[in-house]
Amino acid sequence: MKIQESAENYLETILVISKRKPQVRSIDIANELSFSKPSVSVAMKNLRLNGYINVNQEGYITLTESGLAIAEKIYERHELLSTWLIKLGVAPETASEDACRMEHVISTESFLAIKQHTQNMAKKHNNEN
């Protein structure tokens, strides 16, 4: 199922925050993305209704299995693309911003080709040392 880029960003943000904090709330997401609390609340409602997140009575947000799968896919793309761009000489901030845009539009085929290439280059580099 294809979901909107904004939904992918929210899911990725929930994953990133959950790596730093034991619990995630809407205010954490609003602060992380510099979005208004009402905007985040609407997004969380949509993600919950579509089965990507759960929100308990205390307001803590967790990713469902399908939400986690999407978040991990987008996060992996972001990490690999930003690292790849930095290795190509792009400034880290620019690389991260560009990776954030690229991660949503790159085809699976192209992403896997870049991933395979970077892995091959890393193996080659390790074998040379």
Side-chain angles (χ1 to χ4, degrees):
M1 169 185 219
K2 177 71 177 138
I3 68 169
Q4 292 184 350
E5 180 178 328
S6 62
E8 290 177 340
N9 277 334
Y10 278 112
L11 294 171
E12 180 186 19
T13 300
I14 294 166
L15 177 65
V16 169
I17 294 169
S18 71
K19 290 177 179 287
R20 293 192 315 250
K21 297 178 73 170
Q23 298 165 325
V24 180
R25 298 186 81 146
S26 290
I27 190 66
D28 301 320
I29 299 164
N31 291 337
E32 184 84 11
L33 297 173
S34 299
F35 290 170
S36 72
K37 179 82 165 73
S39 295
V40 172
S41 292
V42 169
M44 293 306 103
K45 178 182 178 186
N46 290 333
L47 291 173
R48 185 177 48 77
L49 292 175
N50 286 300
Y52 297 119
I53 64 168
N54 291 313
V55 182
N56 71 12
Q57 289 183 336
E58 291 82 33
Y60 295 120
I61 299 164
T62 55
L63 295 166
T64 63
E65 190 174 318
S66 61
L68 180 61
I70 293 166
E72 287 178 335
K73 178 184 93 169
I74 297 301
Y75 183 72
E76 177 191 27
R77 288 177 173 209
H78 182 90
E79 290 295 298
L80 187 133
L81 291 169
S82 60
T83 300
W84 179 62
L85 290 169
I86 290 167
K87 287 182 179 183
L88 291 174
V90 177
E93 186 174 318
T94 302
S96 182
E97 290 170 3
D98 287 347
C100 196
R101 288 189 290 277
M102 294 167 63
E103 68 197 24
H104 303 285
V105 296
I106 191 169
S107 69
T108 300
E109 180 182 3
S110 293
F111 176 74
L112 291 175
I114 292 169
K115 183 177 178 179
Q116 185 63 52
H117 176 74
T118 56
Q119 289 171 340
N120 290 342
M121 294 305 291
K123 286 177 189 173
K124 181 179 175 185
H125 178 75
N126 288 338
N127 288 338
E128 290 173 356
N129 291 332

